[in-house]
Amino acid sequence: MNICNKPPNKTTPENLGEAVPEVQVQRARRNGWSWPLHLFQIIAWLLYLFFALVGFGILVPLLPRHWLPAGYICPGVCFIYHLVVHLTAVSIDPADANVREKNYLGPLATFNRNQHAHVIENHHCHVCDVDVSAKSKHCGTCNKCVCGFDHHCKWLNNCVGERNYWLFLNSVLSAILGLGLLLLVACYVFVEIFIDPTMLRSDRHFDALKNHTDLWFVFLPAAPVETQASAILVTAGIFILLSLMTVILLGHLLTFHIYLMWNKLTTYEYILQQRPQQEAKGVDKQLESCPSQVRPSQVLVELSVHFSKTDSLACSVKFASLFGKGPVPGKDRTICFGGSACLAGLCEQCHRS
């Protein structure tokens, strides 16, 4: 129904006989290293290098000497574990078992919507041309069926499914833990520079700079580089802002997936559940934008009933009313001649006062 006389958003042909162009598919992608790489994937690796380089090269070496072992080991274990699970989640092929057995990296079948309503019908994928499990979904980005499909992760540049879902979760959790620990170190260094900078100059290289408190070393102890205190402050401040934003976003993502696991849902299933609610909200907004005179609560109903002259009956009924209410005062009503021509007592003959 076209509300408010606005042009409809045509997503499917109104006429079934209308020609529908075939969807040109691409070659399938094996994993997150398959071309093309995604921008988010590159940003993720750049952030990992930045946090590791600044955290373990600048901030942790400035900790007091008795804190150094914990400063290196605790976040270091988290960073190494994150690297392992992240690489594994990117490198693994999450495709359905039957898809993996087939050489699916060559040109795939072209999906024609004139022949099939859906890509997967009766557990058979018309693009991969194999039978797949009931939990498999065809990913349009990777162009293959993924078993236990959850979502396509742009940061991994790979689908997250049954084979790598726990690797994905471990990657998120380890990133939160490791980055959270380095965030505490960065906050300590940033505050201590203002309160008592001597607490941060416990390394033996600072012995030569006792009379130069404005000079500092970074990348201790292996490759000390001399720098200014302001550079330490700016670097620590940037690190705090980026790491805080990252921890908040990753924490939100982890909380969302804990919610999904609690309700035994995948991200794909959650989106399908939310779609009717979003469409209903869209209709409500459209109704709110309608002029009051054309809202569905005030519908003009016009009925014309014509009988043949041989039946000696001629009745034309026109009325405007609200749903479930009687005739509108002041409107003309045609006299009823009895029989079926009387519509719910809304004619003059049957609705006299």
Side-chain angles (χ1 to χ4, degrees):
M1 182 175 65
N2 186 14
I3 305 174
C4 307
N5 295 324
K6 293 183 178 180
N9 293 326
K10 184 179 177 183
T11 56
T12 57
E14 294 178 354
N15 185 5
L16 294 179
E18 224 176 284
V20 180
E22 293 184 350
V23 179
Q24 299 297 328
V25 297
Q26 300 176 351
R27 295 174 181 266
R29 302 175 66 254
R30 182 180 293 276
N31 51 37
W33 304 116
S34 300
W35 196 261
L37 300 179
H38 197 279
L39 177 61
F40 285 3
Q41 180 186 22
I42 299 173
I43 293 175
W45 284 110
L46 291 177
L47 285 174
Y48 181 88
L49 292 175
F50 171 79
F51 290 136
L53 187 64
V54 175
F56 296 103
I58 298 177
L59 301 176
V60 172
L62 296 179
L63 290 175
R65 190 167 299 174
H66 57 281
W67 286 3
L68 282 177
Y72 280 113
I73 294 174
C74 295
V77 169
C78 294
F79 264 66
I80 293 174
Y81 181 73
H82 171 80
L83 181 64
V84 172
V85 294
H86 188 104
L87 287 174
T88 309
V90 172
S91 304
I92 201 169
D93 183 2
D96 185 273
N98 292 336
V99 176
R100 294 197 308 272
E101 291 177 0
K102 177 185 177 182
N103 182 20
Y104 65 92
L105 296 181
L108 299 177
T110 300
F111 178 66
N112 191 337
R113 293 194 180 275
N114 286 329
Q115 299 177 357
H116 308 286
H118 304 284
V119 177
I120 300 178
E121 292 178 328
N122 298 323
H123 304 311
H124 181 83
C125 179
H126 298 294
V127 176
C128 299
D129 197 23
V130 293
D131 292 333
V132 295
S133 65
K135 295 182 179 180
S136 294
K137 305 295 178 185
H138 192 90
C139 174
T141 304
C142 292
N143 202 25
K144 64 183 178 183
C145 287
V146 177
C147 183
F149 179 80
D150 186 84
H151 70 284
H152 182 87
C153 180
K154 296 179 180 179
W155 301 96
L156 299 178
N157 196 27
N158 197 14
C159 280
V160 176
E162 192 175 85
R163 299 192 71 208
N164 61 347
Y165 182 76
W166 286 105
L167 292 170
F168 162 77
L169 282 185
N170 277 269
S171 175
V172 174
L173 180 59
S174 59
I176 293 174
L177 292 177
L179 202 52
L181 292 173
L182 286 184
L183 177 60
L184 293 177
V185 173
C187 291
Y188 172 80
V189 171
F190 188 86
V191 173
E192 203 66 35
I193 288 179
F194 293 99
I195 298 177
D196 187 7
T198 58
M199 293 291 295
L200 305 176
R201 302 167 70 93
S202 60
D203 190 90
R204 58 182 179 82
H205 290 86
F206 285 107
D207 294 340
L209 299 177
K210 288 183 177 180
N211 298 326
H212 302 278
T213 56
D214 58 329
L215 296 179
W216 292 72
F217 284 114
V218 294
F219 303 117
L220 295 170
V225 177
E226 191 174 303
T227 186
Q228 299 291 325
S230 58
I232 302 290
L233 280 174
V234 171
T235 304
I238 295 174
F239 186 95
I240 290 172
L241 290 177
L242 287 178
S243 59
L244 184 61
M245 275 178 29
T246 305
V247 167
I248 291 174
L249 292 175
L250 289 176
H252 179 270
L253 178 62
L254 181 62
T255 304
F256 173 68
H257 278 275
I258 291 175
Y259 166 81
L260 293 179
M261 289 188 293
W262 180 265
N263 290 277
K264 298 180 180 179
L265 292 172
T266 64
T267 303
Y268 178 79
E269 292 168 344
Y270 174 81
I271 293 175
L272 290 183
Q273 286 186 1
Q274 296 300 312
R275 187 172 295 171
Q277 300 179 12
Q278 294 175 356
E279 291 177 352
K281 290 179 181 179
V283 172
D284 291 341
K285 290 181 180 179
Q286 191 176 9
L287 293 178
E288 289 174 2
S289 64
C290 292
S292 59
Q293 65 269 21
V294 295
R295 290 193 178 182
S297 59
Q298 298 176 345
V299 180
L300 177 64
V301 182
E302 294 188 358
L303 297 177
S304 297
V305 183
H306 299 282
F307 296 89
S308 64
K309 294 181 179 179
T310 56
D311 293 335
S312 300
L313 292 175
C315 180
S316 176
V317 181
K318 293 184 178 181
F319 61 92
S321 68
L322 300 176
F323 286 121
K325 294 186 179 180
V328 178
K331 297 291 181 181
D332 294 334
R333 288 166 292 189
T334 307
I335 296 176
C336 177
F337 292 95
S340 60
C342 176
L343 298 177
L346 296 180
C347 57
E348 186 72 16
Q349 183 71 17
C350 304
H351 199 65
R352 292 175 180 173
S353 57

